């Protein structure tokens, strides 16, 4: 199997690494790595996709990824890259956020096969402060800490003492994972370099073991915008915060100059296929953007939602020609017939549609709802859609006027879709 260090390097994940040759050699054998995520909201956003994909590559190459959610450090707040103190959340809110993040991360990582999700609240909240200072704090130089990038920005605006502890806590996380899970690598954004290196030093001093740091570039788009930021706000991985269609459209609108880079970072498509995209222009590059949008949406929200977003975009903006020779490993439907077959479909006599079918009957009949009563409630709650338009009344008649070239598209909530076509 290919060395994961080469995979990450060739795809553009690596900004800095503490000892490249030694780490690459160590990764020839199965190893454990981790990345920390702050549970400051009930959803991650597009900016978190790069580290998530790095963990996914680690697992695909036979290593064990650990997702460490900061239930403990979230009560302190990481000062890295911030001009003011982060909001400190309560334990109940953090616990709810952690549960939500696990669901999102499960789209990318298989927690039933070696991948772990841990919460540093398990060990940080039990620390005895004086013991911690004597055992861990003695290994940290205040002068070196103040020189770290993560603190420099805050020194002028004001760095409070609770934030000053953050480096010690993150370093202690790495030490605990090294001791209990044989974790040898921490990855994170480039602004985390100082914190990660502090952990490496702590592991060396207290345990006499080698550990490694790998950081990712802080990405911006070709236009200079921060990844995952739009005029409307952040692009979230949660379907309730950013709908799959809007998520899909975010990637469709990728600048031509970013398409190759994003295909490398945010999909698993082979590099030799991606390399052929660099020379494309115009409509051919737009086709590559369509595949990029489909693949990232599929990874984040599942195949059904990716197909629905692709179909909705095609119906609104027109269907793009997707050459079969372009990014051939993608399972995106290349023709309308393939697309229709990929979505659950019911064939219905035209006479029934001529009469019109009450929405709640149609949603129950197609299996989108368990019963007509459930379908009524779905409509009343605003979760029923026909051709991307919300159904306003449960007995609204759905008939031939809703037919498009590919039939009638029904949606129940954000995840379940079904198509009605006329025929035997």
């Amino acid at each position: 199997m290919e060395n994961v260090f080469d995979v990450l390097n060739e795809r553009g994940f690596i900004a800095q690494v503490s000892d490249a040759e030694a780490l690459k050699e160590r990764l020839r054998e199965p190893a454990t790595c981790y990345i920390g995520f702050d549970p400051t909201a009930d959803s991650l956003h597009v900016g978190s996709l790069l580290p998530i994909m790095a963990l996914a590559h680690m697992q695909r190459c036979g290593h064990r990824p650990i997702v460490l959610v900061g239930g403990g450090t979230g009560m302190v707040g990481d000062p890295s890259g911030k001009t003011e103190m982060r909001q400190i959340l309560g334990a109940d809110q953090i616990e709810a956020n952690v549960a939500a993040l696990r669901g999102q991360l499960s789209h990318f990582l298989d927690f039933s096969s070696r991948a772990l999700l841990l919460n540093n609240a398990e060990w940080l909240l039990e620390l005895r402060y004086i013991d911690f200072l004597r055992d861990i704090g003695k290994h940290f130089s205040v002068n070196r800490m103040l020189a770290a990038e993560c603190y420099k920005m805050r020194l002028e605006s004001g760095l409070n003492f609770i934030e000053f502890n953050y480096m010690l806590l993150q370093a202690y996380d790495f030490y605990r994972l090294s001791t209990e899970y044989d974790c040898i690598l921490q990855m994170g954004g480039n602004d985390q370099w100082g914190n990660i290196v502090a952990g490496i030093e702590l592991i060396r001093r207290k345990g006499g073991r080698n550990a490694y740091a790998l950081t990712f570039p802080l990405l911006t788009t070709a236009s200079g915008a921060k990844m995952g930021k739009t005029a409307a706000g952040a692009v979230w991985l949660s379907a309730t915060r950013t709908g799959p269609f809007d998520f899909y459209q975010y990637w469709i609108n990728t600048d031509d100059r970013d398409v190759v880079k994003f295909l490398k970072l945010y999909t698993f498509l082979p590099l030799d296929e991606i390399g052929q995209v660099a020379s494309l222009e115009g409509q051919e590059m737009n086709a590559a953007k369509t595949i990029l949008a489909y693949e990232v949406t599929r990874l984040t929200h599942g195949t059904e939602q990716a197909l629905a977003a692709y179909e909705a975009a095609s119906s609104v903006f027109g269907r793009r020609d997707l050459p079969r020779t372009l990014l051939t490993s993608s399972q995106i439907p290349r023709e309308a017939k393939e697309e229709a077959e990929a979505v659950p479909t019911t064939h219905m006599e035209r006479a029934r549609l001529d009469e019109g079918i009450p929405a709640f009957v149609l949603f129950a009949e197609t299996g989108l709802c368990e019963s007509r009563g459930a379908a009524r409630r779905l409509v009343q709650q605003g979760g029923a859609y026909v051709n991307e338009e919300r159904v306003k009344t449960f007995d609204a008649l759905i008939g031939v006027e809703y037919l498009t070239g590919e039939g009638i598209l029904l949606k129940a909530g954000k995840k379940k879709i079904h198509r009605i076509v006329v025929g035997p």
Side-chain angles (χ1 to χ4, degrees):
M1 183 174 289
E2 190 174 4
N3 192 308
V4 70
F5 185 91
D6 292 328
V7 172
L8 296 176
N9 192 36
E10 291 169 359
R11 286 183 173 268
F13 283 86
I14 300 178
Q16 297 185 78
V17 60
S18 57
D19 188 339
E21 291 303 318
L23 177 58
K24 182 175 178 178
E25 181 63 28
R26 177 63 182 84
L27 292 176
R28 295 185 188 280
E29 300 295 331
T32 299
C33 66
Y34 97 93
I35 296 176
F37 294 88
D38 279 336
T40 51
D42 61 1
S43 175
L44 299 170
H45 50 72
V46 163
S48 300
L49 268 182
L50 190 148
I52 293 171
M53 290 295 290
L55 288 175
H57 279 294
M58 291 291 294
Q59 185 169 39
R60 290 163 69 97
C61 288
H63 304 286
R64 178 172 65 170
I66 295 177
V67 172
L68 184 68
V69 291
T73 44
M75 293 185 174
V76 175
D78 181 3
S80 302
K82 296 294 180 180
T83 57
E84 59 185 26
M85 185 176 176
R86 294 174 186 250
Q87 179 184 3
I88 297 179
L89 302 178
D92 291 343
Q93 184 60 60
I94 288 175
E95 184 177 348
N97 291 347
V98 168
L101 299 192
R102 182 185 181 93
Q104 290 177 15
L105 291 162
S106 296
H107 289 286
F108 301 87
L109 300 171
D110 183 1
F111 290 108
S112 67
S113 177
R114 302 193 70 216
L116 299 175
L117 187 144
L118 304 175
N119 186 341
N120 64 12
E122 295 177 16
W123 52 82
L124 292 183
L125 299 188
E126 297 177 354
L127 285 176
R128 294 166 59 91
Y129 186 59
I130 299 301
D131 292 339
F132 178 73
L133 289 180
R134 285 170 58 89
D135 189 34
I136 303 300
K138 68 182 181 182
H139 296 293
F140 288 78
S141 161
V142 171
N143 290 342
R144 290 183 62 183
M145 291 174 68
L146 291 175
E149 287 295 327
C150 59
Y151 291 139
K152 279 183 178 180
M153 182 185 300
R154 293 299 306 280
L155 287 176
E156 294 183 5
S157 61
L159 176 72
N160 66 41
F161 186 70
I162 192 172
E163 293 175 297
F164 190 60
N165 281 268
Y166 194 90
M167 180 181 286
L168 277 70
L169 296 176
Q170 184 169 328
Y172 184 67
D173 284 343
F174 198 179
Y175 170 73
R176 284 290 295 255
L177 294 176
S178 171
T179 302
E180 298 183 17
Y181 296 92
D182 194 25
C183 180
I184 59 101
L185 171 64
Q186 181 183 356
M187 301 186 288
N190 217 18
D191 59 344
Q192 293 293 316
W193 178 259
N195 290 338
I196 299 175
V197 171
I200 291 175
E201 184 68 9
L202 180 62
I203 291 168
R204 184 187 65 79
R205 290 189 177 204
K206 278 189 64 64
R209 310 177 68 183
N210 291 325
Y212 305 92
L214 188 156
T215 59
F216 314 121
L218 299 178
L219 286 185
T220 58
T221 64
S223 62
K226 187 175 181 180
M227 275 300 298
K229 295 292 186 180
T230 68
V235 180
W236 299 91
L237 304 189
S238 166
T240 59
R241 285 177 173 256
T242 299
F245 178 77
D246 292 332
F247 184 85
Y248 176 92
Q249 287 301 119
Y250 171 78
W251 298 97
I252 280 286
N253 292 324
T254 296
D255 189 298
D256 287 7
R257 295 167 290 178
D258 288 326
V259 174
V260 171
K261 177 170 67 175
F262 289 176
L263 283 167
K264 289 180 179 180
L265 292 173
Y266 301 117
T267 79
F268 294 115
L269 298 176
L271 288 176
D272 57 343
E273 295 179 15
I274 295 173
Q276 299 172 13
V277 174
S279 61
L280 301 182
E281 296 179 348
Q283 292 303 314
E284 290 182 323
M285 183 60 82
N286 286 338
K289 292 180 187 180
T290 298
I291 296 176
L292 168 67
Y294 176 83
E295 288 296 319
V296 185
T297 306
R298 182 182 63 82
L299 287 171
T300 306
H301 295 294
T303 300
E304 275 192 330
Q305 289 299 315
L307 284 169
Y310 172 47
E311 166 61 19
S314 297
S315 65
V316 174
F317 304 110
R319 192 176 305 280
R320 290 175 173 175
D321 179 36
L322 304 180
R324 292 190 175 277
T325 56
L326 176 64
L327 298 168
T328 56
S329 294
S330 173
Q331 297 301 305
I332 189 171
R334 305 281 169 159
E335 297 176 358
K337 179 180 179 181
E338 289 180 326
E339 184 178 327
E341 291 174 349
V343 177
T345 301
T346 293
H347 294 264
M348 191 165 290
E349 295 179 358
R350 187 178 183 90
R352 290 196 64 195
L353 291 175
D354 285 337
E355 296 177 0
I357 305 171
F360 75 102
V361 174
L362 192 58
F363 274 73
E365 191 173 312
T366 56
L368 286 173
C369 295
E370 296 180 356
S371 65
R372 293 187 177 187
R376 285 173 181 255
R377 290 191 294 273
L378 177 71
V379 174
Q380 291 168 350
Q381 294 166 2
Y385 296 83
V386 176
N387 294 342
E388 298 299 322
E389 293 184 11
R390 180 179 279 113
V391 180
K392 297 180 180 179
T393 58
F394 73 88
D395 56 353
L397 295 180
I398 310 302
V400 290
E401 67 273 16
Y402 287 94
L403 279 172
T404 68
E406 286 78 39
I408 302 173
L409 187 67
L410 308 179
K411 288 179 62 177
K414 300 291 185 181
K415 297 182 178 180
K416 299 175 68 176
I417 63 174
H418 201 94
R419 186 188 310 276
I420 303 295
V421 295
V422 175

